[in-house]
Amino acid sequence: MPATRFQANLNVRFPPLPRTATEVARLLSDDTAEPNLEKLIEIVHADPIVTQLVLRRINSAYYGLRRRITEIQKAIALLGFLEVSNIVLTAAMLQLREAVSNPEQEHIFEDLMRLSVGGAIYAQRLAQWLGLPFARRVFTAGLLHASGRLILLYNRPDDYEALWYTNEEGALPSADAERTIFGVSYLELNEQAAKEWNLPEELGVVLGKLETPKELPTPELKAQAALVATGSAVAEQLHLAHSETVLLPEQARLLLGYTLTEAQIVERLQTERDDVERYLHMLLKGNGHGNDEA
């Protein structure tokens, strides 16, 4: 049964983020140059655990390669910059799993991972469809946008479980509800986590304003926050609540008027659903639940 007693005045503990993840997040946040595969290979090579994850991923049934890949350079070249970056950052977030202690909390953790990865994919694709020049940056922000929620679960698993199950299946706790109970919401913790983990300052600023992107100082930052918020809302609807249709959030209004209408955005997002669901199953099963070679 979910816990029923809440504990306010949260004294937040931030789990350490592996250096590999910090370096990859910084690479992703740099949209001024082409993806630096050589640097990515160097970063991955320095972390034996991540190296094994990348090799396991490329040799999984999802990619269907006829020959087994054993060289990390070749694996990264085949998987691509974004895919390897996703593996690194997802693996870093999966370390927070240690805080959960029962099946209900495990379900919350897995939903938040689906939200993170799914939101990142939708945000990146939206940026590409709209011709916006920061697809890699919003992909990074998307992967990290549920960090604050994961940190609440990490710090107060029983209390966050109780809050989570007061909502309908697939509906996330509101920032206001989190503040009422913990004195802080996932938004503030997103920004604090970026500082604790030595991530780019701009990334933390965007992650702290996902619900109020109009408060950000530049059109670029407003658009980035709107992309991540929209990607998150779509992932929540399609992969947590399992809705058949997509309703764009209020933040998406900042994205209208580029190259696509609201109807066109919704249509494209819905066509991505099955592909994203298969990818989520492959990625999270492979990183969190043992061997996925079959």
Side-chain angles (χ1 to χ4, degrees), residues 181-220:
I181 294 163
F182 302 108
V184 67
S185 81
Y186 79 98
L187 294 166
E188 294 85 52
L189 290 176
N190 278 348
E191 191 163 2
Q192 290 179 38
K195 293 176 182 176
E196 287 282 333
W197 294 335
N198 196 30
L199 298 175
E201 181 180 357
E202 196 172 82
L203 179 60
V205 170
V206 167
L207 291 174
K209 295 293 184 183
L210 295 179
E211 296 191 4
T212 54
K214 290 181 179 179
E215 295 179 4
L216 289 164
T218 68
E220 291 77 13

Side-chain angles (χ1 to χ4, degrees), residues 48 80 83 86 110 156 172 197 219 238 240 273 292:
E83 173 67 357
N86 188 0
E110 291 186 357
R156 295 288 188 271
L172 299 171
W197 294 335
L238 297 184
L240 272 64
R273 175 183 188 156
D292 65 336

Side-chain angles (χ1 to χ4, degrees), residues 114-124 138 142-143 145 227-228 231-232 235:
R114 290 168 68 82
L115 183 75
S116 300
V117 179
I121 294 170
Y122 288 122
Q124 177 222 352
V138 298
L143 285 174
H145 86 278
L227 285 164
V228 176
S232 178

Side-chain angles (χ1 to χ4, degrees), residues 6-278:
F6 298 142
Q7 193 158 352
N9 301 319
L10 184 68
N11 184 17
V12 182
R13 294 175 296 121
F14 291 90
L17 193 70
R19 188 181 70 176
T20 306
T22 301
E23 292 179 350
V24 166
R26 287 188 169 277
L27 271 185
L28 278 167
S29 296
D30 182 9
D31 283 313
T32 62
E34 289 297 309
N36 191 337
L37 274 179
E38 289 186 5
K39 180 63 175 174
L40 184 61
I41 291 169
E42 179 185 322
I43 292 170
V44 172
H45 236 312
D47 190 325
I49 294 175
V50 172
T51 297
Q52 289 304 310
L53 283 173
V54 172
L55 290 173
R56 186 169 66 181
R57 181 69 60 248
I58 191 64
N59 289 302
S60 71
Y62 181 84
Y63 291 100
L65 298 181
R66 294 184 178 182
R67 294 184 179 180
R68 187 171 183 83
I69 305 298
T70 58
E71 298 177 4
I72 193 62
Q73 293 92 335
K74 190 169 185 179
I76 291 174
L78 289 170
L79 287 170
F81 186 86
L82 278 181
E83 173 67 357
V84 174
S85 300
N86 188 0
I87 292 169
V88 172
L89 291 177
T90 301
M93 292 296 102
L94 283 168
Q95 72 179 336
L96 301 180
R97 187 190 296 273
E98 68 187 45
V100 304
S101 60
N102 62 45
E104 289 85 2
Q105 292 170 14
E106 180 76 15
H107 174 74
I108 295 170
F109 182 87
E110 291 186 357
D111 270 359
L112 289 174
M113 292 305 303
R114 290 168 68 82
L115 183 75
S116 300
V117 179
I121 294 170
Y122 288 122
Q124 177 222 352
R125 292 185 183 175
L126 262 175
Q128 292 172 333
W129 296 336
L130 297 174
L132 297 172
F134 27 74
R136 294 205 307 271
R137 197 174 302 171
V138 298
F139 184 78
T140 313
L143 285 174
L144 296 170
H145 86 278
S147 297
R149 297 186 189 277
L150 286 165
I151 288 166
L152 285 171
L153 181 65
Y154 179 81
N155 279 269
R156 295 288 188 271
D158 291 342
D159 295 345
Y160 203 69
E161 176 193 341
L163 173 60
W164 184 278
Y165 286 109
T166 61
N167 293 331
E168 294 181 7
E169 180 69 20
L172 299 171
S174 70
D176 286 342
E178 290 173 348
R179 290 188 190 101
T180 297
I181 294 163
F182 302 108
V184 67
S185 81
Y186 79 98
L187 294 166
E188 294 85 52
L189 290 176
N190 278 348
E191 191 163 2
Q192 290 179 38
K195 293 176 182 176
E196 287 282 333
W197 294 335
N198 196 30
L199 298 175
E201 181 180 357
E202 196 172 82
L203 179 60
V205 170
V206 167
L207 291 174
K209 295 293 184 183
L210 295 179
E211 296 191 4
T212 54
K214 290 181 179 179
E215 295 179 4
L216 289 164
T218 68
E220 291 77 13
L221 293 179
K222 288 181 173 72
Q224 288 172 41
L227 285 164
V228 176
T230 302
S232 178
V234 173
E236 179 184 355
Q237 292 170 55
L238 297 184
H239 304 287
L240 272 64
H242 304 291
S243 172
E244 293 299 320
T245 57
V246 169
L247 295 175
L248 296 183
E250 178 68 25
Q251 297 94 314
R253 293 184 179 278
L254 292 171
L255 305 174
L256 302 179
Y258 281 98
T259 58
L260 297 175
T261 65
E262 181 174 356
Q264 289 171 326
I265 290 173
V266 167
E267 182 180 5
R268 289 198 183 193
L269 289 169
Q270 290 188 162
T271 62
E272 299 288 317
R273 175 183 188 156
D274 290 345
D275 183 53
V276 172
E277 183 63 32
R278 284 192 297 271

